Amino acid sequence: MDKLWSILPAVYVWVVAFKGGLEARLVLMAILATVWGARLTFNFALKGAYTWKFWTGEEDYRWPWLRKRKEFQPRWKWVVFDFLFISIYQNFLVLLTTLPAVAALGSAEPFGWKDIAVGILMASFIFYEAVADLQQWRFQSTKWAMINSGRKLEELPTPYNKGFNTTGLWRVSRHPNYFAEQFIWVSFYLFSIVAGAGILNWSVCGAVLLILLFLGSSTLGEYISKSKYPEYEKYIRSVNRYFPGKAYVEP
């Protein structure tokens, strides 16, 4: 179900755009949601998530780790979690993040420079996330290519011997992709404000819940990384979780 994330927002927003008579603001929102989806689809494809055997392919590394936890034994507990959280809640959250389009539907505020500014802001975060994901994919691909050739992790050259990425955007932020993803949908929410729905309106719920989801997701990911890589604790102490800041210094 994770793979549906790449297309659902665009589908939802285009439906709203057609409902609104393809008004300029809604069309811009739909185009940006489509670009976001294209980026995510490309990133999934790089990781081997799409195969003709649609029930196979790569899955998020945290799911196999969670399945082995005693909290999800016996297996029926995982089945319930998979159905309620992964399959239902996460896809419902995707719908909630697109609610600003509904809030902007039928707006009396004319399309203008504020919409363009918000569009540029959202597009900038989409680009930022694309760069972060590509840097991570290149790092992990190179690392695993060396490991699969028979070399041990500690035998790899720096920075690959640490096991985790500390190059590029990952040198100044532990989760640059999460940072960008959250602000993509915060930017999307700004469209509802420009449309006259108010600074704090009901459509903010999607962005808020997404931020909470990434807080839990990044915490779990870092817990797993600390258990695997001795230097990750130093990385946590040295580099911001989300916002770009002080650069990591190689030991």
Side-chain angles (χ1 to χ4, degrees):
M1 294 297 289
D2 285 355
K3 300 169 188 177
L4 290 175
W5 278 46
S6 60
I7 62 173
L8 288 180
V11 171
Y12 294 151
V13 182
W14 276 113
V15 168
V16 176
F18 276 100
K19 179 70 174 179
L22 296 178
E23 188 270 333
R25 178 181 293 114
L26 295 175
V27 169
L28 176 58
M29 296 174 76
I31 290 173
L32 288 168
T34 303
V35 172
W36 175 88
R39 182 214 64 79
L40 186 57
T41 299
F42 176 73
N43 189 52
F44 277 157
L46 280 179
K47 296 177 180 179
Y50 298 110
T51 68
W52 69 272
K53 296 180 180 179
F54 59 87
W55 58 91
T56 66
E58 288 290 322
E59 67 174 334
D60 191 300
Y61 72 95
R62 287 163 296 195
W63 299 146
W65 185 88
L66 278 176
R67 276 199 296 269
K68 297 176 183 178
R69 301 284 293 179
K70 64 180 181 179
E71 293 86 350
F72 291 103
Q73 304 303 322
R75 182 173 172 78
W76 68 264
K77 293 183 179 180
W78 174 260
V79 173
V80 172
F81 174 80
D82 187 359
F83 177 70
L84 295 179
F85 180 75
I86 300 176
S87 299
I88 295 182
Y89 176 74
Q90 288 197 128
N91 285 285
F92 179 64
L93 179 56
V94 172
L95 172 62
L96 294 182
T97 59
T98 63
L99 288 181
V102 179
L105 182 65
S107 170
E109 294 292 329
F111 180 85
W113 69 267
K114 292 180 181 178
D115 295 283
I116 295 174
V118 172
I120 292 174
L121 181 66
M122 183 173 173
S124 298
F125 282 119
I126 293 174
F127 177 76
Y128 190 97
E129 186 173 22
V131 172
D133 282 338
L134 185 58
Q135 290 176 345
Q136 181 76 315
W137 176 78
R138 286 175 174 172
F139 177 89
Q140 295 295 341
S141 295
T142 302
K143 181 190 78 173
W144 282 107
M146 289 188 285
I147 290 175
N148 291 335
S149 70
R151 302 172 69 177
K152 296 181 179 179
L153 181 63
E154 58 270 20
E155 296 173 345
L156 304 184
T158 302
Y160 303 101
N161 57 350
K162 290 191 298 297
F164 57 92
N165 192 5
T166 58
T167 64
L169 297 175
W170 300 82
R171 188 165 179 251
V172 296
S173 171
R174 304 201 306 268
H175 303 281
N177 53 342
Y178 289 179
F179 164 72
E181 181 70 14
Q182 292 171 79
F183 276 92
I184 285 170
W185 296 107
V186 169
S187 299
F188 196 76
Y189 169 69
L190 294 180
F191 278 111
S192 69
I193 298 176
V194 173
I199 294 178
L200 186 61
N201 64 75
W202 58 272
S203 68
V204 74
C205 61
V208 171
L209 290 174
L210 185 69
I211 290 171
L212 293 176
L213 176 67
F214 275 113
L215 179 61
S217 180
S218 60
T219 299
L220 174 60
E222 292 190 340
Y223 179 84
I224 297 173
S225 294
K226 284 193 296 183
S227 69
K228 295 194 298 182
Y229 309 122
E231 288 187 36
Y232 200 83
E233 184 65 47
K234 179 187 175 184
Y235 183 56
I236 290 177
R237 295 194 304 267
S238 305
V239 180
N240 291 342
R241 184 187 293 237
Y242 298 133
F243 288 88
K246 184 180 178 181
Y248 182 75
V249 178
E250 297 289 344

